[in-house]
Amino acid sequence: MAPQVLGDRLDEPLVEPDDVRRPGPGEHESPLATFPEEIAAVRATDPEAARGDMALALADRPGGLRSPAGRRLLADPARAVQELADLLERAWHVMVEPHWPRLRALLEADIAFRSRRLAEVGFERLLGEISLKLRWADSTLTVSGTRGDHSRVLGGQGLVLMPSVFVWPEVVGGYEPPWQPAVICPARGIGGLWTESARRTPDALARLLGRARADVLCALGEPAGTSAPAHRLSLAPSSVSAHLSALRAAGLLTSRRYGHQVLYERTPLGIALAAQEP
C-alpha cells in the first residue's frame, strides 16, 4: 500500500487504520469473530460514516484537513476505506497473526477471570479493580484521563468490557452512536506476556510430579490454554497438553472451554502445592 495513505511521512500519520472505528461487538455480533470476518466488516463500512470518522481524525492533527493527503482521503472515502483495510490486513499478517495464539490465550483468560470477579464482587467494584480511572455511580460511568473527564449515562444500554494487549497502561472509553458503550482496558498479565518466569519450581514438587509436569503446574499463575505455558517453558504443545490432562485428573487443575480453546486453572490444592518454597 502506498505510504501516502497515511501522510507524507510514515512516522507522522494523518489517518491511522483504526480511525475508521469498529469499537466492539454489537448486540447481535459474536465476540469471537475471526479476523477475516472483522476485516470484511471494516471493508463494508459505509463511506459517508467513514468520511465523518476520518474528518474527526484529521481535525485532531495540525493541518490535516488542508493537507493534500487529507483532502484526497475525504474526496474518495470509499477508496480510503479499502486502503486502510489493506493496511490493517497487512499489519495483522506481519505483526499480530504470528503471536495470536498466545495473545488470544491471555485475552480469554482475562475474560474468564473478570467474569468470575463480576459474580463475586459486583459491577462497581469490578470497574475499580480494572482501573482507578473508572468510576461508577448512579448508572453513570466516568472515565478519567489526561484529556479531561467524560461521563455517559448508560440508561440501560449495557457496557462492553473489552480487554486489549495494545492499550496498556491506558483505559479507553468508546460511546459514540451507533455503537454500544465500551471500555477497552489492558488485559491482566501483559507485563509477563513476553518474559520468562523467574520463579524456580520447588524441588519437592518436582520429585513428586516429575520436573516437566511440576513446571507446567507452576507456570499457571493465571488461567491459560496450552500455548502460553508451552511457549514459556519451551515445551511442545502436545507435551504440555498431556501434562495438563494429567494434572486435571489428579485434581490439581480445573478446566473450562472458552471460545476456541480450553482454559486451565489451578485448584486450591494445586495452588498450595505450587506455593511451596523452592
Side-chain angles (χ1 to χ4, degrees):
M1 181 52 53
Q4 59 263 31
V5 172
L6 297 182
D8 297 328
R9 294 176 54 190
L10 289 177
D11 59 346
E12 294 183 355
L14 288 175
V15 173
E16 300 178 9
D18 61 354
D19 284 329
V20 180
R21 287 162 293 170
R22 203 157 151 68
E27 182 179 357
H28 303 295
E29 296 179 86
S30 169
L32 301 174
T34 64
F35 179 79
E37 292 170 336
E38 291 287 354
I39 199 65
V42 172
R43 292 189 184 281
T45 300
D46 175 62
E48 290 308 310
R51 188 202 302 271
D53 282 348
M54 290 187 291
L56 287 174
L58 290 166
D60 221 17
R61 291 159 172 79
L65 286 170
R66 297 186 301 275
S67 68
R71 292 197 299 270
R72 185 177 68 85
L73 289 169
L74 297 179
D76 191 352
R79 175 183 174 183
V81 166
Q82 300 311 311
E83 291 178 340
L84 293 171
D86 287 342
L87 286 173
L88 277 174
E89 193 160 9
R90 288 177 58 192
W92 161 263
H93 289 305
V94 173
M95 296 187 292
V96 180
E97 188 177 26
H99 308 291
W100 181 237
R102 191 175 190 184
L103 298 175
R104 186 177 66 190
L106 184 75
L107 295 170
E108 292 180 345
D110 181 273
I111 292 172
F113 176 83
R114 301 293 187 195
S115 298
R116 187 171 68 249
R117 290 298 291 163
L118 176 62
E120 292 171 348
V121 304
F123 185 61
E124 180 177 357
R125 184 169 166 186
L126 174 64
L127 288 178
E129 291 179 356
I130 290 174
S131 174
L132 296 177
K133 296 181 179 181
L134 301 177
R135 298 194 307 274
W136 175 258
D138 300 325
S139 298
T140 301
L141 171 67
T142 301
V143 182
S144 303
T146 57
R147 297 186 180 183
D149 293 354
H150 307 273
S151 296
R152 167 84 180 218
V153 179
L154 297 181
Q157 287 180 283
L159 179 71
V160 175
L161 297 179
M162 185 187 307
S164 172
V165 295
F166 300 117
V167 299
W168 187 90
E170 301 299 328
V171 173
V172 180
Y175 45 81
E176 292 190 13
W179 306 107
Q180 187 175 0
V183 170
I184 305 171
C185 48
R188 298 174 73 252
I190 279 183
L193 184 60
W194 308 113
T195 60
E196 304 300 328
S197 175
R199 190 177 187 279
R200 188 165 61 89
T201 299
D203 290 335
L205 184 61
R207 291 194 297 271
L208 176 66
L209 300 178
R211 173 61 63 181
R213 190 161 294 169
D215 286 345
V216 170
L217 178 64
C218 291
L220 285 174
E222 301 288 347
T226 301
S227 59
H231 182 92
R232 188 172 302 146
L233 300 172
S234 299
L235 296 174
S238 58
S239 298
V240 171
S241 179
H243 290 313
L244 291 170
S245 296
L247 291 168
R248 181 183 58 186
L252 303 182
L253 299 178
T254 60
S255 66
R256 60 184 178 278
R257 178 166 292 280
Y258 184 85
H260 302 282
Q261 67 170 338
V262 176
L263 295 180
Y264 294 87
E265 185 175 6
R266 293 193 296 232
T267 63
L269 177 58
I271 293 172
L273 289 174
Q276 299 178 59
E277 291 297 322

